[in-house]
Amino acid sequence: MVDAVTIVNAGFKLSIDKIKNFEVRSDDIFLLTFQKSGTTWMKEILPLVMNGGDIDAITGTPRDVLIPHIEFQLSVDEDPVMREVQKQFLVPDGFQLDQLVSPRMLGSHLRSEFLPRDIDEKRVKVIYVARNPKDVAISSYYFCKGALSSRIETNEPVKAKAYQDFSEFLPEFFEIKARTHKVHYDGTKWHEHVLPWWERRHDRNVLFLKYEDMIRDLKACVRQIAEFLDVHLTDGAVDKISDHCSFQSMKNNQMALKSNFCTNVLGVKAEEGSPFVRIGGVGGWKNTFTVAQNETFDEIYQEWIKGSDLEMTFEL
Ligand code: A3P
């Protein structure tokens, strides 16, 4: 359990109380994800579903303004590092969540117990995206290689420790270690994030989606999202959204790539490409995991999901 004021992966301070007491509007829509599970992808899809597939309407707007992360936004007043990070995400100075017109779309990587009380009390709509944890581990590895490390020790932003290889990273993905909050966003392991939402997947206000199903059939997922949000989409709009949100199209989309954040905060060289739209797909872990790592992963994963009927897809 992490205490009331905690520190999350980019090294910023966050008041959990402030988040828990955040006033939610009854028509807010929340996009909730464990990190590296398709958040950027869904931040492209959702606004288009909401506006009926009007790509021009979102072209010039940074995705983190369209769907701001509440924990980032609520910490900018207190934390200069977070203010800087938000600037790199192209969020204008002085931007406030209550400036957004309803229905607001809000994002968060926080686990369920840290989220605003109102989400439950007002039964607002939640779209949850889960991705198989082997691909999440690989994706997190590439992300953490460049990410800012935590400020727990120095209270200053410092560059992440350079992982020599994946074998150095993997144990930190399994365990929450005091100084590796960058691996575990708010001290939460994959299953602690995913399972509470899986258990609520039949609630009327919850849409639980799997990244792998989006890869398998994006159009079907776009339709499912539209239905959940009570939006009528024509077949043409579904096609348009799915084409625009394909991996290749997003790879060339500067707004989706968050290029300033990647170059200025993560220190990623332009030629290395963005870790937010990197390789995508299902089963990439097989190119990196050794047989032994895979066996260890399977053992730990079985322990994580013991007693749950959740089934994730690890390869297609
Ligand atoms: P990889 O690192 O495996 O390539 P998040 O946005 O939650 O940080 O997740 C990032 C992951 O989503 C990255 O995975 C990224 O490539 C993948 N992703 C982003 N856009 C995508 C798209 N249009 N189609 C498939 N995967 C996408």
Side-chain angles (χ1 to χ4, degrees), residues 256-286:
L257 289 173
K258 303 174 176 172
S259 53
N260 287 17
F261 179 81
C262 294
T263 47
N264 298 349
V265 180
L266 298 182
V268 174
K269 295 186 194 83
E271 63 271 21
E272 287 171 7
S274 164
F276 289 103
V277 187
R278 193 182 61 90
I279 287 180
V282 184
W285 59 271
K286 286 190 287 184

Side-chain angles (χ1 to χ4, degrees), residues 34-41 109 131 135 139 211 215 245-247 250 275-281:
F34 189 76
Q35 65 267 24
K36 314 319 294 169
S37 298
T39 322
T40 309
W41 195 4
H109 281 321
R131 186 183 191 189
D135 282 330
S139 188
Y211 174 96
I215 293 279
C245 297
S246 72
F247 185 81
M250 282 186 60
F276 289 103
V277 187
R278 193 182 61 90
I279 287 180

Side-chain angles (χ1 to χ4, degrees), residues 190-203:
W190 181 88
H191 64 300
E192 294 168 332
H193 204 285
V194 175
L195 290 183
W197 290 105
W198 172 248
E199 279 152 26
R200 294 184 53 182
R201 68 196 179 282
H202 297 308
D203 290 5

Side-chain angles (χ1 to χ4, degrees), residues 4 47 120 164 222 256 259 263:
D120 278 343
Q164 291 298 315
V222 168
S259 53
T263 47

Side-chain angles (χ1 to χ4, degrees), residues 117-137:
R117 282 186 195 88
D118 274 359
I119 291 184
D120 278 343
E121 280 167 19
K122 297 187 176 168
R123 298 245 139 209
V124 300
K125 287 190 172 164
V126 167
I127 296 177
Y128 189 88
V129 186
R131 186 183 191 189
N132 86 72
K134 291 183 184 177
D135 282 330
V136 169

